[in-house]
Amino acid sequence: MEFEPLSLSNEVIEFDMIGLGYDATIDMEHPVEDGEDLVNIDYSPAAANSVLAAGVGPHIFGGDTNLEPCQGMDFESEEAAKAFYNSYARRVGFSTRVSMSRRSRRDGSIIQRSFVCAKEGFRVEKEKHLVDGRVKRPRAETRVGCKAMLVVKIQDSGRWVVSSFVKEHNHDLVPPDKVHCLRSHRHVSGPAKSLIDTLQSAGIGPSGIMSALIKEYGGISNIGFTERDCRNYMRSSRQRTLGGDTQILLDYLKSKQAENPSFFFDVQGDEDHCMSNILWVDPKARTNYTYFGDTVTFDTTYRSNRYRLPFAPFTGINHHGQPVLFGCALLINESEASFVWLFKTWLEAMSDRPPVSITTDHDRVICAAINHVFPSTRHRFCKWHIFKECQEKLSHMLSEHHNFEVDLHKCINLTESIEEFESCWSCLIDRYDLTKHEWLQAIYNDRRQWVPVYLRDTFFAEMSITQRSDSINSYFDGYINASTTLQLFVKQYEKALESRFEKEVKADYDTINSTPILKTPSPMEKQAAGVYTRRLFIKFQEELVETLTFLANKVDEEEMITVYRVAKYGEMHRAYFVNFNSFEMKATCSCQMFEFSGLVCRHILTVFRVTNLLTLPSHYILKRWTRIAKSGVILDERTANLSNGSHESLTIRFSNLRHQALKYVEEGVTSSEVYDVAISALREAARKVASATKKDGRQVIVNGTSEEYLHQSNETTIRRSDPPFCSQQSSYKDDQDRTIEKLTRQLDRARRKCEVYRSNLLSILKDIEEQKLQLSVKVQNVKLGMKE
């Protein structure tokens, strides 16, 4: 075999910037050489030992893998040399890669390989990574010009011999407990892949899978790869399994956007130019967000067993307490960068208006992405997901100590203050000897993001601290399960939207067409019955009725602020404190129910009762809980004085009539025959309305009697009863009374006209608001299109 001298000008010299271990993440610093596949090559210590045991190791040393490389060592193959040097690097504490190769001019075969320390040389910036002169994703510098290396050459016998070995490094080496983080020593083994596939099929995320692997292998250093490698393997597995089925979803989204340009969707690509994640938001979701976007739930618990894909909807809570959709995502990649892209894209679709609060799974990666995209939004971990984790992490405690779950529930859900929780938690840990439990310590460190006492000062639209919110993991329940395929998903998605819309319409109908049963003579209850939706009124009514069992005692008074101690009769030891400003009619309670749910608590209502405040101040009626939550305009008078519902009924009647008329207009223009029928029907309706209007103008019935007839009868009676000797003063008084009555009737007519004009104005303003919203959405779509 002919050997060529080493020369930089020689075309047969190649520089191979590849790593020795498999890493599914594309490392642009170490791109893989064309034609070389490292996916199925295992360079772990066990693999190296098996290579040597098979007789393909160093020829003259009998398979002793603890020796250092030296000149003259020979190997059965190039791969055996790689495995040996990588095994040596793992023991010493550095990572390796292939640097340079040399080919024969005769047949192009490789005749020399150089394996170097991963910190060899210095980074060379490539133009394709520059955007506007800047690095798109800047990375930390890892190259320091280390000279450590091993060079092997092929002999005429076909064996590979070490021709050069440099041992010294110019940097610190990695200790044994951190070697598994080095790139060339990270490898997802076959057994680990099987376990990941099994756990992923069960709907467990990367963090949960890594916890199971750590337990299975006895420590993270024994696994042989990092959580990032686990996520990358899961992503590549999903991409291989999905195949072309994603095109079904993309075709569906494109058709929806063709039907309505306000339909938004976007697709994220990864470094391999493969589809990574999909986000879509329909026009109704964007409209709903303008009304109920104060609190959002992002749920990744829906997973398909076939594709092991997390389907993640953005949901909220509407004015009936029902879950409402704000958008959906199909996640192939669950990396932090993917979640950052997802949240940023969703926020752009929502006109860059972040929510007040957001609830997610207990996941470190999601938490980091939310902190990046929603810095001002209060982030909460779903408490029920943490309880589910608790059943797994503390299964031995639950089986051995039957009272442990009850004590944990009391500590988390029933404590009223931060001090009480801290004391209760400390006692719980000491009682069950859990001081060294790592998972409990971890969730305790995150307590400000899931324990209720730390979150009550922020709005989450939940009626109860202890009950689970309907918006969490429930919007698509009954439509998507573990066996749902991507093709079936599209159909089930449509059915879920239709079902939710029907339930909202039914709740609207029940609210408008039914009168709640009042349980007290309180004007405040009657007021609330006219403004709140049916379900929210029931919640308010429960709080109001409970005030009958509570006592409020004044304990402090300073200027306009009075402090009341409120406690239930017979439970005076469990008291709440209400600060009441009688001038501004504002009150705050230590339970913070209004801040958390948007409904006034029984303790504040008790103070209102003892201070003779008979109606609910307008600032305590959140529009999002009212019957008119989805209107574009709301006037303060509607919430400040709702004992008379005439304004609202006029608005509702006008909106209903207008909606019905427009429906006939839309259907009437479809053909000439339908047009003739619609015109005939409208003329008949106009004739009947005119007839009813004339009758309504002649008389107004008051208690079954014509009001104008009563006024005329009174005037006639007065005139007939006037005696001829009536004094001038009496006659003047009668004239004044008649003038007052006449002006009163004119004032009543003017008031009725004003109510009609006001109703029309509200409807017009509502239309303007809707048009503004539609224009805003269109402008946002244009901006997004320009960015693309």
Side-chain angles (χ1 to χ4, degrees):
M1 181 169 292
E2 180 182 356
F3 294 89
E4 298 293 336
L6 181 62
S7 173
L8 292 178
S9 61
N10 196 332
E11 294 181 354
V12 298
I13 297 178
E14 299 176 355
F15 295 88
D16 302 334
M17 316 294 280
I18 62 174
L20 289 175
Y22 169 63
D23 183 0
T25 301
I26 300 298
D27 189 343
M28 302 310 296
E29 184 179 323
H30 307 145
V32 179
E33 178 189 5
D34 293 339
E36 183 165 5
D37 184 9
L38 297 180
V39 173
N40 296 318
I41 301 176
D42 189 349
Y43 296 106
S44 62
N49 292 334
S50 65
V51 169
L52 298 175
V56 294
H59 179 67
I60 61 176
F61 295 105
D64 189 350
T65 59
N66 292 320
L67 293 176
E68 289 184 354
C70 63
Q71 288 189 359
M73 291 179 94
D74 71 334
F75 299 88
E76 184 70 24
S77 66
E78 175 194 349
E79 297 303 328
K82 284 183 185 180
F84 178 81
Y85 190 58
N86 199 55
S87 178
Y88 162 76
R90 183 180 179 91
R91 296 198 311 271
V92 174
F94 67 96
S95 181
T96 66
R97 58 184 172 84
V98 178
S99 175
M100 183 183 70
S101 64
R102 187 170 166 224
R103 294 182 181 272
S104 170
R105 284 183 174 177
R106 177 179 299 176
D107 56 10
S109 62
I110 296 175
I111 60 175
Q112 180 176 304
R113 279 286 195 188
S114 296
F115 310 117
V116 300
C117 173
K119 292 181 177 291
E120 180 267 347
F122 297 94
R123 177 183 297 170
V124 177
E125 298 293 347
K126 299 183 179 180
E127 293 183 1
K128 66 179 181 179
H129 295 296
L130 299 179
V131 179
D132 298 330
R134 296 178 292 104
V135 178
K136 183 178 180 182
R137 291 179 61 191
R139 299 191 180 188
E141 181 63 62
T142 58
R143 305 284 187 88
V144 295
C146 181
K147 300 296 184 181
M149 64 183 301
L150 178 76
V151 181
V152 293
K153 293 182 178 179
I154 192 169
Q155 303 296 307
D156 292 338
S157 62
R159 300 186 69 85
W160 291 75
V161 176
V162 176
S163 62
S164 177
F165 171 61
V166 179
K167 177 182 177 181
E168 292 76 17
H169 297 262
N170 66 348
H171 56 87
D172 294 334
L173 299 175
V174 176
D177 62 332
K178 295 181 176 60
V179 169
H180 67 281
C181 297
L182 294 173
R183 186 172 185 268
S184 69
H185 307 307
R186 284 156 38 194
H187 169 74
V188 183
S189 64
K193 290 179 180 178
S194 299
L195 183 56
I196 291 173
D197 291 340
T198 301
L199 296 176
Q200 192 178 4
S201 299
I204 301 176
S207 299
I209 290 176
M210 284 301 296
S211 298
L213 288 168
I214 291 171
K215 185 176 181 181
E216 177 70 19
Y217 285 86
I220 191 168
S221 60
N222 299 327
I223 297 176
F225 54 90
T226 63
E227 183 175 332
R228 179 187 176 189
D229 300 317
C230 178
R231 291 178 183 273
N232 290 331
Y233 171 75
M234 293 170 67
R235 181 197 63 176
S236 59
S237 176
R238 290 166 181 162
Q239 288 174 336
R240 290 192 300 269
T241 308
L242 273 171
D245 281 0
T246 52
Q247 192 61 42
I248 297 173
L249 178 60
L250 290 176
D251 290 343
Y252 167 77
L253 298 177
K254 290 176 182 177
S255 66
K256 298 298 289 185
Q257 191 176 63
E259 293 174 6
N260 190 338
S262 296
F263 187 96
F264 173 89
F265 81 95
D266 199 1
V267 180
Q268 180 193 23
D270 58 16
E271 293 90 342
D272 296 326
H273 304 290
C274 296
M275 185 185 70
S276 183
N277 297 311
I278 307 174
L279 169 72
W280 67 95
V281 183
D282 61 50
K284 184 174 178 60
R286 300 171 93 172
T287 303
N288 283 333
Y289 185 76
T290 64
Y291 301 132
F292 311 113
D294 39 19
T295 184
V296 174
T297 296
F298 177 68
D299 187 12
T300 57
T301 57
Y302 291 101
R303 284 181 170 89
S304 167
N305 190 35
R306 177 175 174 182
Y307 298 124
R308 301 183 294 277
L309 275 176
F311 165 64
F314 291 87
T315 60
I317 302 174
N318 69 7
H319 52 322
H320 299 292
Q322 300 170 331
V324 59
L325 192 64
F326 294 148
C328 295
L330 204 60
L331 300 179
I332 298 174
N333 189 348
E334 293 185 78
S335 66
E336 180 181 337
S338 290
F339 281 118
V340 168
W341 171 88
L342 176 66
F343 294 143
K344 281 186 175 180
T345 308
W346 178 80
L347 191 59
E348 288 179 6
M350 297 305 185
S351 302
D352 291 319
R353 288 175 294 180
V356 174
S357 61
I358 187 169
T359 303
T360 71
D361 297 349
H362 183 219
D363 187 279
R364 175 185 55 80
V365 175
I366 294 177
C367 181
I370 286 179
N371 290 338
H372 180 78
V373 181
F374 304 109
S376 60
T377 297
R378 187 72 178 273
H379 180 205
R380 176 180 70 165
F381 296 133
C382 178
K383 180 178 60 178
W384 303 104
H385 292 163
I386 291 180
F387 280 163
K388 189 176 180 180
E389 284 186 79
C390 177
Q391 294 176 354
E392 174 191 348
K393 304 290 185 180
L394 298 171
S395 56
H396 64 289
M397 292 297 301
L398 297 174
S399 59
E400 294 176 7
H401 304 278
H402 300 294
N403 292 330
F404 174 76
E405 187 172 10
V406 176
D407 292 340
L408 182 65
H409 167 77
K410 290 180 179 178
C411 176
I412 294 170
N413 290 324
L414 302 183
T415 48
E416 296 290 343
S417 65
I418 293 176
E419 294 75 14
E420 185 182 356
F421 165 78
E422 294 289 351
S423 175
C424 186
W425 181 271
S426 179
C427 292
L428 182 74
I429 296 300
D430 292 340
R431 184 184 310 156
Y432 292 99
D433 193 21
L434 295 170
T435 308
K436 297 182 180 180
H437 196 284
E438 293 183 4
W439 182 80
L440 272 179
Q441 184 61 44
I443 64 168
Y444 174 75
N445 293 338
D446 293 334
R447 63 192 181 279
R448 289 176 177 81
Q449 289 182 268
W450 67 277
V451 176
V453 292
Y454 291 97
L455 298 164
R456 288 176 180 166
D457 61 343
T458 305
F459 182 75
F460 284 96
E462 289 185 15
M463 297 299 102
S464 172
I465 296 292
T466 58
Q467 294 178 1
R468 183 175 183 173
S469 170
D470 288 342
S471 70
I472 299 177
N473 195 23
S474 64
Y475 191 93
F476 291 96
D477 279 359
Y479 298 93
I480 297 174
N481 53 44
S483 61
T484 304
T485 65
L486 197 55
Q487 188 172 4
L488 180 60
F489 165 78
V490 173
K491 297 179 180 178
Q492 294 298 96
Y493 170 80
E494 289 281 358
K495 290 182 179 179
L497 294 186
E498 292 174 2
S499 174
R500 290 296 176 185
F501 178 72
E502 290 175 1
K503 289 180 179 179
E504 182 177 343
V505 170
K506 179 65 165 58
D508 285 335
Y509 176 84
D510 291 341
T511 296
I512 295 173
N513 294 280
S514 62
T515 302
I517 299 175
L518 303 183
K519 297 182 179 181
T520 71
S522 168
M524 190 178 293
E525 184 181 12
K526 184 178 180 181
Q527 172 195 10
V531 63
Y532 284 130
T533 59
R534 185 175 181 178
R535 181 175 179 182
L536 269 295
F537 170 71
I538 292 174
K539 293 289 185 181
F540 175 83
Q541 190 179 54
E542 291 175 0
E543 296 297 316
L544 185 65
V545 171
E546 281 295 320
T547 62
L548 301 176
T549 63
F550 275 76
L551 302 174
N553 298 314
K554 187 185 300 184
V555 294
D556 191 17
E557 188 170 7
E558 183 177 349
E559 295 182 355
M560 296 181 182
I561 305 296
T562 305
V563 181
Y564 290 86
R565 185 178 187 274
V566 183
K568 191 172 185 177
Y569 180 77
E571 299 179 6
M572 301 302 292
H573 61 283
R574 197 173 189 85
Y576 302 86
F577 292 90
V578 176
N579 295 337
F580 179 55
N581 186 324
S582 57
F583 179 75
E584 297 181 354
M585 296 299 175
K586 291 184 178 180
T588 58
C589 181
S590 58
C591 77
Q592 296 182 305
M593 176 177 167
F594 180 74
E595 290 82 357
F596 185 77
S597 67
L599 276 181
V600 182
C601 66
R602 59 194 64 180
H603 317 116
I604 291 179
L605 292 176
T606 299
V607 172
F608 286 169
R609 176 171 56 82
V610 300
T611 56
N612 296 320
L613 186 59
L614 301 181
T615 58
L616 201 59
S618 60
H619 45 264
Y620 284 111
I621 302 178
L622 296 190
K623 179 186 174 184
R624 59 126 43 241
W625 291 133
T626 66
R627 301 178 177 211
I628 54 173
K630 299 181 77 171
S631 66
V633 178
I634 182 171
L635 300 181
D636 291 339
E637 298 91 281
R638 293 200 178 186
T639 53
N641 183 16
L642 290 166
S643 57
N644 184 350
S646 60
H647 298 168
E648 183 178 354
S649 61
L650 279 169
T651 304
I652 292 172
R653 289 199 298 268
F654 181 86
S655 298
N656 290 340
L657 286 173
R658 180 176 172 275
H659 175 72
Q660 292 295 326
L662 288 177
K663 185 170 70 173
Y664 283 114
V665 170
E666 292 172 356
E667 296 176 357
V669 298
T670 56
S671 67
S672 58
E673 292 80 4
V674 177
Y675 172 79
D676 293 337
V677 173
I679 284 293
S680 177
L682 288 173
R683 286 173 178 168
E684 178 64 20
R687 185 185 62 80
K688 292 182 179 180
V689 170
S691 177
T693 303
K694 290 179 181 179
K695 292 181 180 179
D696 185 62
R698 281 201 304 268
Q699 58 182 19
V700 178
I701 304 300
V702 179
N703 295 328
T705 308
S706 171
E707 184 181 9
E708 292 190 6
Y709 173 77
L710 288 174
H711 287 308
Q712 292 173 1
S713 299
N714 289 338
E715 290 178 2
T716 304
T717 304
I718 291 173
R719 283 195 295 268
R720 288 179 178 174
S721 62
D722 285 345
F725 49 87
C726 182
S727 67
Q728 185 178 0
Q729 183 177 0
S730 176
S731 177
Y732 176 73
K733 183 178 179 181
D734 291 340
D735 291 340
Q736 277 189 324
D737 290 340
R738 284 192 293 271
T739 302
I740 291 172
E741 290 174 0
K742 183 178 180 181
L743 292 174
T744 301
R745 289 195 298 272
Q746 291 176 354
L747 181 62
D748 289 339
R749 293 191 189 98
R751 185 181 292 114
R752 287 195 293 270
K753 288 182 180 180
C754 287
E755 289 173 356
V756 174
Y757 295 151
R758 184 183 186 185
S759 172
N760 295 342
L761 178 61
L762 287 172
S763 181
I764 292 170
L765 291 175
K766 179 181 177 181
D767 290 342
I768 292 174
E769 289 290 330
E770 292 176 353
Q771 291 175 8
K772 284 173 60 180
L773 176 62
Q774 292 175 2
L775 288 174
S776 174
V777 171
K778 290 180 180 179
V779 169
Q780 192 64 29
N781 284 333
V782 172
K783 289 182 179 179
L784 293 174
M786 293 175 65
K787 289 182 181 179
E788 294 175 357

